[in-house]
Amino acid sequence: MHQLAPKLYNWASILEHDTEAQALATSQMPFVHPHLALMPDAHLGKGATVGSVIPTDNAIMPAAVGVDIGCGMIAVRTQWTEDQLRTGGANTLTALREDIESRVPLSAGHYNTTLTYTAETRIGELEDMWAEMDGVPLDVVTGGPERYAQNWEYQLGTLGSGNHFIEITVDEEHRVWAFLHSGSRGIGNKIAQHHIKVAQDIAKKYWIDLTDNDLAYLVEGTPEFDHYIAELNWAQHFALLNREEMMDRVLEALATYMGAEVVEHERINCHHNFTQKEHHFGRNFWISRKGAISAREGQLGLIPGSMGTASYVVEGLGNKMSFNSSPHGAGRNFSRSKARKTFTHDQLREAMRGIEYRDTDAFIDEIPQAYKDIDQVMDDASDLVKIRHTFHQIVNVKGD
């Protein structure tokens, strides 16, 4: 860990100049206190750096939380071993992958056509949660989640695209886990975009000078702030339930493949794009983790690598200067457009050798070489977390 500026501390040994400049600008906002913590996977983001932990006093920057509110990971350890998975299934691993792909809608804009019983139950929970916002001063804003997305119910249990994935993976003891990464989908994105614009409109109205419009903020105690927090909490819960719903479907596919019900031995579900109020350095702050997970002492979390590289179950060490946080993944080294210009389909095939995946050039921008070295990221995070389990993929599922 190194101090780069009076209010900027950094854990990343690989840090691009523009990423550092962006984090520095965020740290200089007057309500960021006592300092911003850059995680080992830090890279350039929209408004605020991905891989940053931002404590704020009586204000929140919606863009510093991110547009995929509540994005995160879930992992379940099953009773099976790698040998049982490879030899005990009635079909091939390709059949398992295709069954998962048939149960979980993939790619941006792809939704459920019908709802499972478990999805309906979770939607009911979200409807009740939204109804409890009645006491929040919403000004002229009225209506339920459908004001943001008419089909929001059908988004629950869908993966999306980009770096979101589903994997069947094994740990260092060759035990089989189901593992996936996703967030609050289109509904969360629209909620985030709405409140980012509200904050920007306020800045414009009151002639607030910002180095970046995406640093626009909402002040605690205002109706706009209360409205954002209420819908933020709802979207974070949507994301958590979305992962739970997808995991149910993945475990059903795995049970069908193995010919027996899944016995869960462990389950971990954590956000890495979220805000909550926490107590640090003797005071309460809003802690926005944009591409970072909570890592209180003893708390379990999940840090994925990339397609074809290791991922980790970690235990938090409660590092005070990081606000009890750790990285959320490998972090990009190449933008998506640059990765597509740099790498080839054959290089992707080589990187995915031995892993069952859908062989398409749509995933070139997700090639492992487009990301930072996960081993270096984990080494940089050695005072933030300790590794409990190391995953290596057997099956990978992604959306275009």
Side-chain angles (χ1 to χ4, degrees):
M1 181 266 289
H2 302 283
Q3 185 174 7
L4 301 179
K7 294 202 298 180
L8 182 60
Y9 286 77
N10 171 50
W11 274 260
S13 61
I14 305 170
L15 186 66
E16 295 75 19
H17 176 73
D18 53 359
T19 302
E20 181 178 343
Q22 183 181 58
L24 178 62
T26 305
S27 74
Q28 291 172 338
M29 296 297 285
F31 46 80
V32 173
H33 181 80
H35 62 267
L36 185 152
L38 270 183
M39 295 291 97
D41 56 337
H43 61 279
L44 199 66
K46 182 177 172 61
T49 306
V50 178
S52 58
V53 183
I54 308 169
T56 52
D57 191 10
N58 295 309
I60 289 179
M61 298 170 285
V65 179
V67 294
D68 193 356
I69 298 171
C71 189
M73 316 291 303
I74 184 172
V76 169
R77 179 163 66 88
T78 74
Q79 75 270 36
W80 293 302
T81 65
E82 180 177 0
D83 285 345
Q84 289 171 323
L85 183 73
R86 290 189 182 279
T87 62
N91 296 297
T92 64
L93 290 175
T94 300
L96 173 59
R97 172 179 59 81
E98 290 175 345
D99 190 15
I100 294 171
E101 291 170 346
S102 72
R103 294 171 187 264
V104 179
L106 311 173
S107 305
H110 288 217
Y111 308 116
N112 298 293
T113 55
T114 58
L115 298 178
T116 64
Y117 169 76
T118 52
E120 288 180 341
T121 301
R122 290 178 171 115
I123 288 164
E125 182 178 338
L126 288 164
E127 288 174 335
D128 291 344
M129 185 177 178
W130 192 282
E132 291 173 3
M133 293 185 200
D134 286 348
V136 177
L138 302 183
D139 292 346
V140 297
V141 178
T142 59
E146 64 276 1
R147 66 178 293 269
Y148 290 110
Q150 286 291 328
N151 67 342
W152 72 270
E153 302 101 321
Y154 292 91
Q155 296 179 19
L156 190 79
T158 67
L159 184 68
S161 59
N163 61 354
H164 294 169
F165 64 78
I166 299 168
E167 290 179 344
I168 305 300
T169 190
V170 296
D171 65 17
E172 68 287 346
E173 296 181 29
H174 302 284
R175 298 175 299 190
V176 174
W177 295 66
F179 183 43
L180 65 85
H181 170 207
S182 193
S184 53
R185 304 295 289 111
I187 180 70
N189 183 290
K190 289 184 178 180
I191 288 171
Q193 295 287 4
H194 169 79
H195 292 285
I196 289 169
K197 186 176 186 304
V198 168
Q200 291 172 341
D201 288 347
I202 290 172
K204 184 177 180 180
K205 178 179 179 180
Y206 293 104
W207 300 87
I208 298 171
D209 188 26
L210 299 168
T211 57
D212 184 332
N213 284 338
D214 284 320
L215 293 177
Y217 55 91
L218 301 172
V219 177
E220 192 165 6
T222 64
E224 293 86 358
F225 182 95
D226 291 342
H227 182 195
Y228 175 59
I229 292 298
E231 294 190 349
L232 171 83
N233 288 336
W234 185 90
Q236 288 176 178
H237 196 57
F238 181 103
L240 184 142
L241 294 183
N242 185 43
R243 292 192 292 273
E244 297 278 0
E245 176 65 24
M246 282 189 286
M247 182 56 72
D248 283 350
R249 300 182 192 185
V250 172
L251 295 179
E252 287 172 359
L254 194 54
T256 299
Y257 178 79
M258 294 301 295
E261 291 300 310
V262 173
V263 178
E264 287 194 27
H265 289 274
E266 194 169 358
R267 178 180 285 239
I268 305 162
N269 194 347
C270 65
H271 296 319
H272 55 229
N273 280 6
F274 69 110
T275 286
Q276 61 187 16
K277 186 160 273 191
E278 297 179 7
H279 192 76
H280 297 275
F281 297 97
R283 294 178 57 187
N284 291 327
F285 298 100
W286 290 99
I287 303 295
S288 296
R289 293 184 177 90
K290 183 174 183 177
I293 64 172
S294 178
R296 300 187 308 273
E297 185 174 2
Q299 182 179 15
L300 296 182
L302 299 162
I303 301 178
S306 58
M307 289 181 75
T309 63
S311 297
Y312 301 91
V313 177
V314 296
E315 181 180 335
L317 297 178
N319 185 292
K320 180 179 178 181
M321 295 300 289
S322 74
F323 307 97
N324 300 338
S325 305
S326 89
H328 82 310
R332 294 197 72 92
N333 236 352
F334 291 78
S335 69
R336 294 191 180 280
S337 59
K338 187 176 180 182
R340 287 202 159 274
K341 295 174 183 176
T342 305
F343 303 108
T344 67
H345 194 175
D346 285 341
Q347 286 175 304
L348 175 62
R349 285 179 177 143
E350 181 61 28
M352 295 298 287
R353 185 184 296 274
I355 300 169
E356 172 59 42
Y357 80 112
R358 186 157 52 94
D359 184 8
T360 168
D361 62 7
F363 300 149
I364 289 175
D365 55 7
E366 282 293 299
I367 192 171
Q369 295 93 313
Y371 285 82
K372 294 183 180 182
D373 181 349
I374 189 62
D375 293 331
Q376 183 62 59
V377 169
M378 297 307 296
D379 187 59
D380 290 347
S382 60
D383 63 339
L384 305 177
V385 292
K386 60 182 177 182
I387 296 171
R388 286 278 300 269
H389 301 299
T390 302
F391 291 163
H392 293 283
Q393 310 95 324
I394 292 177
V395 176
N396 173 276
V397 173
K398 291 181 71 68
D400 295 346

